[in-house]
Amino acid sequence: MSVTIERLGPEETTLVANRIAEAFTVLEVTYWLVPDASKREAVLAGDFEILVGHAMRHGMVYATADRASVAVWFTSVGEPPPPPADYDARLAAACGEWTDRFQHLDELFAANHPHPDHHHLAFLATQPGRQGQGLGSALLRQHHAWLDANGMPAYLEASSPRSRDLYARHGYLAGEPFRVPDGTPFWPMWREPLGR
């Protein structure tokens, strides 16, 4: 199956954030982040909009041509990217009463983030009805080709055993998981460029 992949610009930030939120509402960690199921997707979308917008300036955002699947990468070469502008205020506006949980997750991610130069896959998300069709894998292969050609490692945090196993098939090695307070794990995963 041939999948057309396009790099997106800032005008599609909201679309990408909504796609990620739609796909991630079933992840175990989101039940801890936003216990109220009726508000979960909207709160997640608000948080993701901050991060996707930041990636438009400090990384790369790709999607399949039909926008069913999206990938959000940050480049961490030399100095890591700065935090988003007005992040604390924007996070509080997006996450409301659950802001402290998102802050806690940010702190966990920061404490476990590696320091060597790399590209960080912050999000890979596919529309629920389109999952399992190879769209996410196509997005991975597209960026991995650049990473391999340029000798650049990659890092991500897998949020489920299913995603951990998908990334392992693409050359990522899982480290010891770290956990949010309810025990839900994230697996830090590192990929060395092929051919190096």
Side-chain angles (χ1 to χ4, degrees):
M1 178 178 77
S2 177
V3 177
T4 301
I5 293 169
E6 301 172 358
R7 186 167 178 180
L8 305 187
E11 70 282 356
E12 297 198 72
T13 296
T14 299
L15 180 150
V16 173
N18 289 340
R19 175 67 68 241
I20 300 166
E22 176 188 31
F24 281 21
T25 53
V26 298
L27 294 178
E28 192 175 342
V29 70
T30 68
Y31 291 67
W32 174 77
L33 282 169
V34 186
D36 186 338
S38 70
K39 297 180 180 176
R40 187 173 298 135
E41 189 169 335
V43 171
L44 291 173
D47 175 56
F48 297 152
E49 185 148 5
I50 299 167
L51 299 173
V52 173
H54 196 52
M56 292 290 184
R57 290 182 289 283
H58 297 281
M60 291 147 284
V61 180
Y62 297 103
T64 54
D66 62 2
R67 307 300 188 259
S69 193
V70 298
V72 177
W73 293 88
F74 285 98
T75 56
S76 189
V77 179
E79 289 295 312
D86 302 317
Y87 182 61
D88 291 342
R90 292 168 68 197
L91 187 70
C95 302
E97 64 189 284
W98 301 295
T99 300
D100 61 332
R101 295 184 180 214
F102 284 83
Q103 290 170 330
H104 183 85
L105 185 59
D106 286 344
E107 290 165 7
L108 272 178
F109 283 165
N112 287 277
H113 203 100
H115 297 292
D117 289 352
H118 64 280
H119 283 195
H120 174 211
L121 179 61
F123 303 108
L124 180 69
T126 301
Q127 197 170 17
R130 302 289 306 283
Q131 293 173 5
Q133 298 176 9
L135 301 179
S137 289
L139 284 163
L140 287 173
R141 284 192 300 272
Q142 179 264 347
H143 197 63
H144 289 166
W146 185 94
L147 294 174
D148 292 343
N150 290 275
M152 182 65 65
Y155 172 76
L156 57 83
E157 303 96 356
S159 55
S160 70
R162 180 183 177 196
S163 63
R164 179 198 61 202
D165 295 347
L166 167 71
Y167 295 128
R169 291 194 297 272
H170 286 272
Y172 289 83
L173 297 176
E176 284 297 312
F178 57 90
R179 299 174 187 275
V180 297
D182 76 347
T184 303
F186 280 89
W187 288 268
M189 302 189 75
W190 183 263
R191 179 186 184 273
E192 288 292 339
L194 298 181
R196 295 283 162 160

